[in-house]
Amino acid sequence: MKSIARIFSTVAALLTLSACAAPLSTLDPAGPSATAISTLWWVMFWSSVVIFILMMAVLTTIWLRPGLARTVRPGKWIIYGGLAVPGALLTVLVGFALYTGERLLAHPIEDAPPRISAHGVMWQWQFSYPELGDVGPTRVLHIPAGQPVDILVTSGDVVHSFWVPRLAGKIDAIPGHENVVRIQADRPGSYQGVCAEFCGNGHTRMLFQVEAHEPELYANAVREAAQ
Amino acid sequence: MTDLTPETPSPIRLHKQLERIWGTGPGLQRLAAVNHTVIGKRFMITAFVFFAIGGLLAMLIRAQLATPNAAFVGPELYNQLFSMHGTVMMFLFAIPMLEGLAIYLLPKMLGARDLAFPRLTAYGYWCYLFGGTIIVVSMLFGVAPDSGWFMYTPLSSQPYTPGINADIWLLGVTFVEISAVSAAIEITVTILKLRAPGMSLNRMPLFAWYMLVTALMMVFGFPPLILGSILLELERAFGLPFFDPERGGDPLLWQHLFWLFGHPEVYIIFLPAAGAISTMIPVFAQRKIVGYHAIIAAIVALAFLSFGLWVHHMFTVGIPHLALAFFSAASAIVAIPTAVQIFAWLATLAHGRPRFDIPMLYIFGFFVVFVIGGLTGVMLAMVPFNQQAHDSYFVVAHLHYVLVGGFVFPMLAAVYFWLPHITGRQSVHRISVPAFWLIFIGFNLTFFLMHLTGLMGMPRRIYTYPSNFGWDWLNLLSSVGGFILTMGFALFAVDLILQFRFGRHFRRNIWKASTLDWAMPTRPTSYAFASLPKIEERADGIDPDRLGAELAAGKGYLGFARNNRMETLAVDMTTGRLEHLVVLPNATYLPLLSAGLTGSVVLCTLFKLYIGAIVFAIATVSSFFLWSRTTGLTTDSGPVPVGNGEFVPPDVEVDGSTPWWAMVFALSANGTLFASLIFGALYLWLVAPAWPPAEIADPGFWLWLAPVAMIVSSIVARWATGINRQGGNFAPALFAIVIIDGLTIVLISLALSALPDPTAHAHIATVAAILGYGWLHAAGGFCFALNGLMKARGGYVSARRSLPLRLSVLWHDYTAVTGVIGALLIGAMPMLIGMLEGVR
Amino acid sequence: MGEAHVPANRILLIPLGFTIWAAAFVVLYATNAIGCAFEWPSAVQRGMLIAISLGFLGLGGVAWHLVHRHWERNAKAEVAPAPTLSIIGIYGLGSAFVAMIGVAIPVLATSMCI
């Protein structure tokens, strides 16, 4: 048992270690949305580890201790293992996930967040800022830090997908449609974004930077970048 | 009435006589084979060849991704590599492999001598081979599909993929899918009708239940993609803007149609594998399966739920949260019937006396890999997590865990289990175990790490990556794992060759199984059973050793050869009571001819030789008349003896014969296609940008005459059947149908010509598509009436033998119903468009 | 021999439960899409979705009750496979009922058009 525990702590340490350094890591969240999702992930991950170990323990018991496995009547296997346990777990999980999902939506809020447009074309992103007197486009996305920002995502040709893994989940840019994703960077800094939906030969290089500024410096930074 | 039951000769003579009737000839005559054992093997071998090709593509992908900034291939080639890897594995390996297994096994498990429509089996195989070849050969010319295996528009549309790459996917895959749907219809009818007498539904082996559910899922699951492919090809070739957002189309319609097929597809692949597991586990647990009824209920639940999951591939396209919640909940619920099956298998092992062999090793691998895939599947069903993991390597890892765990591992177990049945030789165990461990370790090394690669933000389908994202060591290890996996498969292939070459012969039933497929000589003879069994218990608990000897001695039904005809028995669908005698068509080159002509239609369309395509289409339809020409009997025979002192009528003299049921299921598939078209029209109206259209499609009063003509035609078709039942002359009525259907074609053509330019807006294009659908069905009705006349002239129709007329009734009824629905929708469109005022 | 008859349409008992589930699923999804496209007031849409859910749950419950009663009364008298079909039908109706609840619960609180 001790050695198993040690393997676990090593794996956990490895996972966290390697996750920290990466600029596109969903496990290194830098905003409330990505943090909520990463919490959901860790909850699901550790539950899955437990479930997997239990399943393997059952399988091993059947093989090595057939007498023990036979004490549970056949019908009980299906009712508990197949219906009751997964049913209960899934109900809790779906409830938790939907609650999390609700919190991440771009609900109308009192302090209407700034709206920035992200327009994907083969193979770059153009960001413009209608609320700052329609400046732009810029190639780097500038946002104020510490507050939510709504990104209006559109496409000029094929389907793209706007993804800044450390800030929030992705949203597709679909020609003819306008999608909104609410992102927030807790601290000023530079974040990496990618196009997540395959969009042809330049898909690989459709990366972009997000610069989060102190709110009071934000408007100037955008105007400077737009020139 | 034919006089007495023919005598049963000695086993050897009986074998020789039956072999002469059922066997496939040598040399070029192999091309005329229609036998299920032969075609089933061909399907599986061809599928393995495509599997090797797909695996090779995967190796190239892993070679490119092993190191950052690799310059092994550029994006143009890489895009073809992963598009082809997905396409080949899904459409050219998984589906045909499961079809092959079903084709080979089902008649043997059900106690029949062949499938219900042997020529259709052969036609399906040739379509698969030709379609697959077109797709794979395109790689050699560097024009392989390169828009991903799910072909999202507008990337796959004309402006962004101007070459024939996308056309090859659309036409090639549709060609293969038509083969899959025809196989599905055949499998459904075979399971429902061609069972051994006494095999009521509650005695059917679980594998047959699994295949029945799978086949029905194919009947209802493939048409949305077939429709989507047709619409996209129409857009690419003729500019009808179904998916163009600037002209009233919507790229999201493609995603809906694709995943409406694509998600059920995953379960279509998993269920037969689960069926194989449900067959093997009781054998190695030495106990009957636990939860027979629960498993059947679970697979039915799985089948339905799998049609309610498709939007979980679209959680990031901007659909409202409530709609996502429906699909998220359904995606979580689908885990429960899967868990029911897994625990039924575990319980079977727990309450049996498990014994170990190579198939069990792979089943163990299945448990490990599939449980992980199921757990990550539940994770991906959660909306917020999905929005992070979607389109990342986490999904790549998950889908490989599910498909390799849920299909490849069980299939490898099945290969070791049934290969002795096919070859008549035992496996040489020495390298089977190391092969397993290489595959198992290689697989987990490759794909387990990809979960983490995905969580660290690596998107799918990028051909290279810089080294500062922390993905380097993960990708390198995945590539190493990939090569270990390949070595495992190479060893597996060697193992199979050794078995073919050096495996020791065995007498019978090597695993001590208790299903009917082992109650025959192995290798199986072409006719499978020298005589057909009477089933008196559940068919997964019989004694093949005792029964097999009895059947070989001709002690069951049909223990004789009669009139050089391929005979087998059909039963009542539910009770399994002996119902009628089925006379199957003998070996023929017609399936090859028809498939060749169909392939020519595909090739002509591919190269935009539309005149040629029309000519070959007409030739293809004409070739089907040749199929029909000599099918059936020219005299009324009444009940004939089938052995055991029983007499039953031949198939042509009963109402619910296999072709009639095949027609019912074919029309069900067709109806799904039509429903998808109606869904598409309404979806665009409700959701697509650039609505309302500038111009409204008004086909004039022709539109209302066409469905009236269709209804009249359907009434006359019924009338013709009525006259025939009374022994009257029905030919004038058939002539009337030919004329009315011809008139309907003219009416719809007029309606089509009255339309504004269909390339202007998707509204007009959808109206044109619905009219085109009606046009094709009127033409189909015309052919059915002509076929009736031809059969009547040949003497194949009498008051008792009325099948050609009743098939025509089914077709005309269907045409009338869809015609009315289509006309009503077209008629309602102006009003529906009016409703958009103010909101759009 | 001829009188022991189980009509083919009895097989439809097997998919009955999940056919009701599928209908509920499609109607809920379509109502949601139409409601958002035509900008129905949110109380109206939510009310309709709840009514639809309850309607289908009621339908499923009634179907379960009828099939179950039929099975209780006739299981012994009927010829195979009729009782088996009823049993699987009852399993299907029961699990479809639970699945309908699972799909309908989000209707109570989830955002409908964002």
Side-chain angles (χ1 to χ4, degrees):
Chain A
M1 276 322 273
K2 234 180 202 169
S3 63
I4 291 178
R6 202 162 56 221
I7 290 171
F8 272 126
S9 54
T10 323
V11 169
L14 258 178
L15 284 177
T16 351
L17 249 181
S18 58
C20 278
L24 281 165
S25 175
T26 62
L27 305 178
D28 182 20
S33 184
T35 307
I37 298 174
S38 117
T39 308
L40 175 63
W41 151 254
W42 286 113
V43 168
M44 293 194 297
F45 173 71
W46 287 113
S47 334
S48 299
V49 169
V50 172
I51 294 170
F52 180 75
I53 291 173
L54 285 177
M55 286 291 293
M56 290 308 116
V58 169
L59 196 58
T60 321
T61 313
I62 288 172
W63 223 263
L64 301 181
R65 293 261 183 289
L68 189 63
R70 219 167 288 153
T71 53
V72 183
R73 282 193 297 110
K76 290 255 167 82
W77 281 84
I78 293 176
I79 289 169
Y80 290 114
L83 296 172
V85 176
L89 289 177
L90 288 170
T91 309
V92 174
L93 179 60
V94 172
F96 178 50
L98 284 179
Y99 169 73
T100 308
E102 266 309 303
R103 287 195 301 149
L104 308 185
L105 294 177
H107 289 286
I109 44 175
E110 248 174 67
D111 265 342
R115 290 165 84 83
I116 301 172
S117 142
H119 188 64
V121 288
M122 285 165 142
W123 290 283
Q124 52 171 295
W125 292 94
Q126 299 162 348
F127 304 102
S128 47
Y129 307 81
E131 286 165 356
L132 298 177
D134 222 355
V135 288
T138 60
R139 301 288 292 276
V140 171
L141 171 59
H142 295 273
I143 57 168
Q147 66 178 91
V149 180
D150 283 353
I151 310 289
L152 277 67
V153 181
T154 51
S155 164
D157 37 50
V158 303
V159 181
H160 304 281
S161 189
F162 174 92
W163 191 27
V164 189
R166 293 189 60 205
L167 300 185
K170 58 184 73 67
I171 192 86
D172 291 355
I174 295 165
H177 294 264
E178 183 184 84
N179 285 327
V180 183
V181 62
R182 181 164 291 173
I183 65 171
Q184 174 176 339
D186 286 336
R187 273 180 297 280
S190 181
Y191 303 94
Q192 183 73 49
V194 290
C195 171
E197 182 61 60
F198 176 61
C199 55
N201 287 340
H203 171 56
T204 307
R205 285 187 302 275
M206 205 168 153
L207 302 160
F208 61 97
Q209 291 290 325
V210 183
E211 291 291 341
H213 307 275
E214 296 289 356
E216 56 274 17
L217 304 178
Y218 157 66
N220 270 336
V222 172
R223 292 207 178 87
E224 234 166 76
Q227 278 160 14
Chain B
M1 192 184 279
T2 324
D3 35 349
L4 286 171
T5 313
E7 240 172 75
T8 299
S10 77
I12 299 291
R13 272 186 64 101
L14 178 61
H15 167 73
K16 283 193 176 146
Q17 290 173 352
L18 286 170
E19 189 65 42
R20 204 170 46 240
I21 299 174
W22 292 80
T24 301
L28 278 182
Q29 287 178 43
R30 290 198 179 94
L31 297 176
V34 293
N35 186 277
H36 74 280
T37 300
V38 176
I39 310 259
K41 284 193 281 192
R42 282 183 192 171
F43 257 106
M44 289 189 276
I45 291 168
T46 314
F48 264 115
V49 171
F50 282 120
F51 181 65
I53 295 173
L56 205 65
L57 295 170
M59 284 303 92
L60 296 174
I61 293 174
R62 280 322 318 170
Q64 165 68 14
L65 292 180
T67 52
N69 303 312
F72 175 54
V73 295
E76 294 82 4
L77 190 54
Y78 187 80
N79 296 346
Q80 295 187 19
L81 288 179
F82 71 72
S83 303
M84 285 296 289
H85 170 68
T87 305
V88 168
M89 288 303 198
M90 292 302 248
F91 296 104
L92 305 184
F93 164 63
I95 297 284
M97 181 69 201
L98 69 90
E99 284 167 13
L101 186 72
I103 288 169
Y104 181 86
L105 277 183
L106 275 176
K108 302 181 177 86
M109 274 199 181
L110 296 170
R113 279 180 175 157
D114 207 324
L115 293 165
F117 311 104
R119 293 182 299 191
L120 196 62
T121 330
Y123 175 72
Y125 175 73
W126 295 119
C127 285
Y128 160 50
L129 183 67
F130 296 159
T133 308
I134 291 174
I135 294 174
V136 167
V137 165
S138 72
M139 272 193 299
L140 301 180
F141 295 96
V143 290
D146 57 358
S147 325
W149 82 273
F150 37 80
M151 292 286 288
Y152 275 5
T153 59
L155 184 61
S156 59
S157 303
Q158 187 66 22
Y160 304 104
T161 307
I164 68 166
N165 310 51
D167 303 306
I168 286 172
W169 191 96
L170 293 168
L171 294 165
V173 166
T174 303
F175 195 15
V176 175
E177 299 242 294
I178 288 170
S179 130
V181 172
S182 58
I185 291 168
E186 175 170 28
I187 287 169
T188 308
V189 175
T190 302
I191 296 172
L192 289 174
K193 293 300 290 182
L194 294 201
R195 305 195 298 262
M199 195 190 284
S200 50
L201 282 179
N202 54 320
R203 289 179 182 161
M204 224 159 61
L206 273 179
F207 184 78
W209 278 105
Y210 273 100
M211 279 317 305
L212 177 63
V213 172
T214 308
L216 284 169
M217 285 176 75
M218 288 164 81
V219 166
F220 294 105
F222 280 24
L225 179 60
I226 295 177
L227 175 80
S229 302
I230 293 171
L231 296 186
L232 184 51
E233 187 54 35
L234 284 174
E235 174 176 308
R236 286 180 56 83
F238 304 109
L240 302 187
F242 298 104
F243 308 106
D244 178 356
E246 275 161 23
R247 290 179 288 158
D250 194 338
L252 284 180
L253 175 60
W254 170 264
Q255 298 193 14
H256 279 292
L257 290 175
F258 185 89
W259 291 117
L260 193 47
F261 144 84
H263 205 87
E265 154 97 345
V266 176
Y267 289 88
I268 288 170
I269 291 172
F270 168 63
L271 282 179
I277 291 177
S278 291
T279 312
M280 288 183 279
I281 282 193
V283 174
F284 291 103
Q286 312 193 61
R287 177 197 199 286
K288 267 198 180 180
I289 189 98
V290 166
Y292 178 81
H293 294 142
I295 289 180
I296 296 168
I299 54 186
V300 172
L302 207 61
F304 273 89
L305 288 167
S306 74
F307 280 86
L309 312 181
W310 83 89
V311 167
H312 79 210
H313 299 265
M314 301 168 64
F315 277 174
T316 63
V317 302
I319 291 174
H321 199 219
L322 176 58
L324 299 187
F326 293 147
F327 289 91
S328 174
S331 310
I333 293 169
V334 81
I336 292 179
T338 315
V340 166
Q341 291 171 76
I342 288 182
F343 277 86
W345 295 326
L346 288 175
T348 310
L349 287 170
H351 284 265
R353 285 173 292 117
R355 94 188 126 91
F356 185 78
D357 214 309
I358 301 300
M360 273 317 280
L361 195 55
Y362 279 97
I363 289 176
F364 157 77
F366 152 81
F367 271 116
V368 175
V369 174
F370 191 69
V371 165
I372 295 178
L375 290 168
T376 54
V378 169
M379 295 177 186
L380 284 170
M382 301 302 120
V383 178
F385 178 70
N386 183 295
Q387 289 171 342
Q388 278 285 30
H390 176 69
D391 268 334
S392 79
Y393 264 79
F394 191 91
V395 171
V396 179
H398 161 72
L399 75 91
H400 283 92
Y401 265 85
V402 173
L403 291 172
V404 176
F407 186 71
V408 177
F409 274 94
M411 277 302 123
L412 295 177
V415 165
Y416 279 106
F417 186 76
W418 276 295
L419 203 63
H421 192 284
I422 296 175
T423 61
R425 291 167 187 267
Q426 286 172 311
S427 47
V428 187
H429 274 174
R430 216 157 300 148
I431 58 172
S432 313
V433 177
F436 166 80
W437 286 110
L438 281 177
I439 291 174
F440 184 76
I441 292 168
F443 172 81
N444 282 295
L445 183 58
T446 312
F447 293 104
F448 193 78
L449 293 174
M450 277 187 196
H451 293 112
L452 185 55
T453 321
L455 290 172
M456 289 179 65
M458 180 158 165
R460 296 170 80 167
R461 301 174 168 184
I462 54 172
Y463 78 99
T464 189
Y465 51 91
S467 69
N468 57 338
F469 287 164
W471 306 332
D472 304 16
W473 63 279
L474 290 165
N475 274 304
L476 182 62
L477 283 177
S478 281
S479 293
V480 170
F483 285 93
I484 296 176
L485 181 59
T486 311
M487 288 192 300
F489 275 114
L491 212 54
F492 167 80
V494 172
D495 196 20
L496 295 200
I497 294 166
L498 285 182
Q499 179 176 345
F500 272 106
R501 190 74 189 75
F502 300 112
R504 275 185 296 123
H505 289 277
F506 62 97
R507 241 191 82 65
R508 225 169 229 196
N509 195 7
I510 181 171
W511 306 109
K512 302 275 159 269
S514 39
T515 41
L516 274 174
D517 46 331
W518 296 96
M520 61 176 62
T522 41
R523 303 176 309 180
T525 52
S526 56
Y527 50 84
F529 296 99
S531 62
L532 301 183
K534 183 172 180 62
I535 301 298
E536 277 152 346
E537 60 205 312
R538 210 166 80 195
D540 58 359
I542 55 142
D543 176 6
D545 300 309
R546 184 187 52 79
L547 190 63
E550 279 174 23
L551 296 181
K555 288 183 185 154
Y557 293 97
L558 293 179
F560 45 78
R562 173 162 54 195
N563 301 342
N564 214 15
R565 293 195 317 211
M566 298 184 5
E567 294 181 329
T568 190
L569 294 174
V571 296
D572 176 70
M573 225 178 243
T574 52
T575 57
R577 202 180 55 242
L578 176 58
E579 191 187 83
H580 65 263
L581 176 75
V582 178
V583 181
L584 297 171
N586 294 70
T588 160
Y589 294 101
L590 281 174
L592 179 59
L593 173 71
S594 296
L597 290 169
T598 318
S600 308
V601 177
V602 170
L603 282 175
C604 285
T605 317
L606 199 53
F607 293 107
K608 311 210 180 299
L609 309 167
Y610 296 114
I611 308 274
I614 291 169
V615 170
F616 278 116
I618 293 170
T620 308
V621 174
S622 314
S623 77
F624 286 123
F625 276 98
L626 292 179
W627 289 39
S628 161
R629 197 167 54 99
T630 54
T631 309
L633 298 172
T634 48
T635 50
D636 290 340
S637 71
V640 290
V642 292
N644 286 354
E646 297 205 45
F647 291 74
V648 289
D651 47 1
V652 287
E653 295 180 22
V654 294
D655 279 351
S657 60
T658 49
W660 193 85
W661 282 107
M663 187 60 146
V664 170
F665 292 111
L667 291 178
S668 306
N670 193 348
T672 315
L673 186 100
F674 183 71
S676 306
L677 180 58
I678 298 295
F679 163 77
L682 290 173
Y683 179 87
L684 291 179
W685 160 74
L686 193 65
V687 177
W691 280 65
E695 216 177 347
I696 300 235
D698 178 17
F701 75 104
W702 310 117
L703 172 68
W704 301 106
L705 284 181
V708 171
M710 286 171 173
I711 293 171
V712 171
S713 187
S714 150
I715 293 170
V716 178
R718 283 168 179 279
W719 183 47
T721 318
I723 297 173
N724 176 47
R725 286 232 187 258
Q726 266 127 48
N729 180 12
F730 55 85
L734 287 187
F735 272 118
I737 298 174
V738 171
I739 290 165
I740 299 168
D741 288 349
L743 191 67
T744 315
I745 294 174
V746 174
L747 285 172
I748 300 177
S749 304
L750 286 171
L752 271 168
S753 67
L755 287 183
D757 178 13
T759 63
H761 194 274
H763 159 58
I764 303 162
T766 46
V767 168
I770 295 170
L771 287 173
Y773 186 89
W775 194 98
L776 284 175
H777 281 74
F782 185 85
C783 291
F784 272 100
L786 273 187
N787 181 50
L789 281 171
M790 181 185 83
K791 299 293 282 182
R793 257 184 76 105
Y796 289 98
V797 181
S798 76
R800 272 193 195 163
R801 292 171 281 120
S802 58
L803 180 70
L805 303 183
R806 285 182 298 113
L807 290 183
S808 163
V809 169
L810 273 179
W811 183 270
H812 281 95
D813 284 357
Y814 174 85
T815 305
V817 170
T818 50
V820 169
I821 295 173
L824 285 176
L825 181 72
I826 296 174
M829 263 341 264
M831 185 197 74
L832 290 174
I833 291 169
M835 286 165 68
L836 295 176
E837 296 289 336
V839 290
R840 292 281 283 284
Chain C
M1 188 177 126
E3 56 271 33
H5 184 60
V6 181
N9 57 22
R10 278 294 281 276
I11 300 175
L12 296 178
L13 272 182
I14 295 179
L16 176 63
F18 275 94
T19 306
I20 299 174
W21 175 87
F25 193 85
V26 168
V27 174
L28 283 174
Y29 182 41
T31 308
N32 179 223
I34 294 169
C36 291
F38 288 101
E39 293 162 12
W40 292 350
S42 97
V44 172
Q45 188 184 151
R46 204 174 290 284
M48 276 192 72
L49 291 170
I50 292 173
I52 290 166
S53 310
L54 291 177
F56 276 103
L57 281 172
L59 185 65
V62 169
W64 186 88
H65 177 72
L66 291 177
V67 176
H68 193 258
R69 200 178 58 181
H70 177 91
W71 176 73
E72 275 188 335
R73 290 189 183 164
N74 303 317
K76 292 212 176 94
E78 282 183 327
V79 67
T84 310
L85 295 178
S86 297
I87 290 173
I88 302 171
I90 289 165
Y91 284 176
L93 280 159
S95 36
F97 190 83
V98 178
M100 263 194 283
I101 295 177
V103 170
I105 282 178
V107 165
L108 296 174
T110 316
S111 298
M112 289 177 298
C113 297
I114 49 169

